């Protein structure tokens, strides 16, 4: 594959009508910092517009898919709204930040070229939001998943709550979202979070490329039509959910518990939540 453009948080390669988008950090475990959220919408808009691309493989570099939101790197965006008695201005700015971040995950979901996610190691928080926007998900045997936002005093707002009910069902989603528990690859396959499990990272990436190649061999406009029709029935519900959670978090997310969660990350200690 040949590198097409230089990005800070991704590599993007194209070959034989298939593009591979790979998370590269720069945070540990491909954590999602400012560069990730800045670059993701443009990358998928570009792939959507490229007539040579017919399918996309989404992967993570190294041992893990993604540790999720890079809290230390993104804490600046929370600063003003976490201030005591934050007024309408900071809350509006925070609401706009959530909407901009949502636009990146939406660009994956809305890409007319089907997206196959290849997941190895940890897939946490924002990583689950990201794979929920893919059309097909494969995992390596060592993959582990966690909708962990509840453990850092955040209501997940990038799309897991909007998209996962159609993938794993309401009951499984509530269990994962309310506990923040870890789920291994076998359990993820059982509940439908992933389509199949493969031996290791190399095998899961190979399987993702095989499926992407199979998709790319089909008539491209028909493939896009299939995806459009399948998405149509749930798109309004997804959009409504995303708007609601963005407004909810702008109003209610700022809390002493969130400040404690961010402080605990910086101090490398367990948080102590007080419900304030």
């Amino acid at each position: 594959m040949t590198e097409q453009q230089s990005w800070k948080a991704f590599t993007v390669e194209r070959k034989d009508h298939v593009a591979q988008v790979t998370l590269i950090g720069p945070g540990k475990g491909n954590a999602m910092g400012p560069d990730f959220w800045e670059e993701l919408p443009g990358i998928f808009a570009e792939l959507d517009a490229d007539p040579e691309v017919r399918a996309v493989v989404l992967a993570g570099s190294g041992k893990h898919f993604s540790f999720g939101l890079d809290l230390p790197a993104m804490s600046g965006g929370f600063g003003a709204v976490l201030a005591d008695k934050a007024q309408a201005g900071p809350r509006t700015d925070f609401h706009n930040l959530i909407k901009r971040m949502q636009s990146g995950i939406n660009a994956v979901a809305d890409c007319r070229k089907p997206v196959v996610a290849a997941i190895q190691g940890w897939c946490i928080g924002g990583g689950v939001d990201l794979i929920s926007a893919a059309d097909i998900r494969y995992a390596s045997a060592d993959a582990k998943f966690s909708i962990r936002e509840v453990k850092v005093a955040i209501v997940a707002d990038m799309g897991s709550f909007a998209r996962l009910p159609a993938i794993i069902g309401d009951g499984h989603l509530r269990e994962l979202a309310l506990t923040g528990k870890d789920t291994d690859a076998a359990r993820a396959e059982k509940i439908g979070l992933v389509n199949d499990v493969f031996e290791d990272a190399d095998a899961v990436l190979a399987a993702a490329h095989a499926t992407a190649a199979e998709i790319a061999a089909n008539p491209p406009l028909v493939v896009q039509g299939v995806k459009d029709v399948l998405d149509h029935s749930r798109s309004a519900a997804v959009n409504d959910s995303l708007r609601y959670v963005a407004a909810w978090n702008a109003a209610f997310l700022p809390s002493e518990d969130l400040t404690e969660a961010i402080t605990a990350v910086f101090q490398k200690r367990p948080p102590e939540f007080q419900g304030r």
Side-chain angles (χ1 to χ4, degrees), residues 48-140:
D48 180 78
D50 186 345
E52 292 301 310
V53 173
R54 298 184 179 183
V56 180
V57 171
L58 181 62
S61 61
K63 295 181 179 180
H64 304 286
F65 182 77
S66 178
F67 285 174
L69 184 69
D70 189 338
L71 265 177
M74 296 297 294
S75 61
F78 300 148
V81 79
L82 288 176
D84 186 40
K85 298 180 181 179
Q87 300 299 307
R91 290 178 185 271
T92 299
D93 291 342
F94 185 58
H95 181 260
N96 290 337
L97 172 63
I98 295 171
K99 297 289 284 184
R100 287 196 303 272
M101 292 169 68
Q102 286 179 344
S103 72
I105 306 296
N106 289 346
V108 178
D110 295 341
C111 182
R112 291 174 296 172
K113 319 304 170 65
V115 179
V116 185
I119 305 134
Q120 80 281 6
W122 280 110
C123 180
I124 300 172
V128 178
D129 291 311
L130 182 58
I131 66 167
S132 73
D135 297 279
I136 298 167
R137 289 157 293 279
Y138 293 148
S140 62

Side-chain angles (χ1 to χ4, degrees), residues 122-208:
W122 280 110
C123 180
I124 300 172
V128 178
D129 291 311
L130 182 58
I131 66 167
S132 73
D135 297 279
I136 298 167
R137 289 157 293 279
Y138 293 148
S140 62
D142 72 339
K144 292 183 179 180
F145 304 84
S146 178
I147 303 176
R148 197 171 291 180
E149 284 88 345
V150 69
K151 290 188 176 294
V152 289
I154 294 175
V155 175
D157 53 12
M158 293 297 118
S160 287
F161 292 177
R163 297 185 174 98
L164 285 180
I167 298 170
I168 65 174
D170 185 71
H172 290 308
L173 174 57
R174 286 174 185 265
E175 180 183 8
L176 298 180
L178 292 169
T179 64
K181 69 195 301 180
D182 301 337
T183 301
D184 63 20
R187 176 68 176 168
E189 182 182 18
K190 183 176 181 179
I191 66 176
L193 180 57
V194 298
N195 297 62
D196 210 342
V197 176
F198 298 86
E199 182 179 359
D200 54 29
D202 290 338
V204 73
L205 187 60

Side-chain angles (χ1 to χ4, degrees), residues 203-243:
V204 73
L205 187 60
H209 272 280
T211 296
E214 191 172 358
I215 292 169
N218 289 327
L221 295 180
V222 174
V223 167
Q224 293 174 29
V226 168
K227 179 167 180 177
D228 183 57
V229 171
L230 290 174
D231 287 346
H232 174 73
S233 63
R234 64 181 181 182
S235 60
V238 168
N239 292 336
D240 182 64
S241 175
L242 291 172
R243 287 194 299 270

Side-chain angles (χ1 to χ4, degrees), residues 20-44:
Q20 179 174 323
V21 178
T22 307
L23 285 65
I24 59 172
K28 183 178 179 182
N30 305 318
M32 300 170 169
D35 291 331
F36 174 93
W37 299 107
E38 179 71 24
E39 294 173 354
L40 186 62
I43 287 172
F44 273 86

